[in-house]
Amino acid sequence: MLLTEEEFKSTFPKDGFVNVTQSAQNFNEKEFDEYVRNNLIEELGKMHIGYVYDAKDGTYRHVTFITEVKNIHYIVVLDLKKKKIAGHFVLDLNKEYGL
């Protein structure tokens, strides 16, 4: 499910995130891979996981994919409490930060 900007930002904890790219345990590999395959956005080209961030309060995980489009990231949001995929968001850093 594509998250709105409001829904995406609601997954940001007030205490911030911690980078767990090197240590994150796989959430549910089969479900995650299937979700990403079924929700790919063709215009973004090939993607690979660049970073994984967990909310310090243990609520959400943001899996950030690097895309072929400069400064555009595909982010899959995992709800760690409910142990399910909350959705995805396309973060346009050009738009967000005027790059």
Side-chain angles (χ1 to χ4, degrees):
M1 169 179 90
L2 179 62
L3 300 172
T4 66
E5 183 173 358
E6 184 177 313
E7 290 169 327
F8 176 65
K9 288 187 175 179
S10 75
T11 67
F12 283 67
K14 65 179 175 180
D15 292 337
F17 287 92
V18 61
N19 185 334
V20 296
T21 304
Q22 300 301 318
S23 62
Q25 297 293 317
N26 201 330
F27 183 72
N28 178 333
E29 188 173 352
K30 183 179 178 188
E31 180 185 350
F32 183 82
D33 289 348
E34 184 176 306
Y35 179 87
V36 171
R37 263 194 315 277
N38 291 335
N39 290 282
L40 287 176
I41 299 171
E42 200 171 301
E43 294 80 19
L44 299 178
K46 292 182 182 177
M47 303 185 299
H48 67 275
I49 295 175
Y51 307 99
V52 180
Y53 296 99
D54 279 0
K56 287 184 179 178
D57 64 6
T59 53
Y60 292 99
R61 172 174 290 165
H62 287 190
V63 180
T64 304
F65 286 81
I66 308 300
T67 71
E68 289 183 336
V69 181
K70 186 176 180 177
N71 297 325
I72 305 287
H73 299 291
Y74 179 87
I75 302 171
V76 177
V77 179
L78 309 176
D79 184 324
L80 297 176
K81 298 276 187 191
K82 295 179 181 175
K83 298 187 187 240
K84 70 176 200 164
I85 297 170
H88 64 277
F89 185 76
V90 178
L91 178 62
D92 183 344
L93 297 176
N94 299 308
K95 178 182 168 190
E96 188 75 20
Y97 299 107
L99 299 177

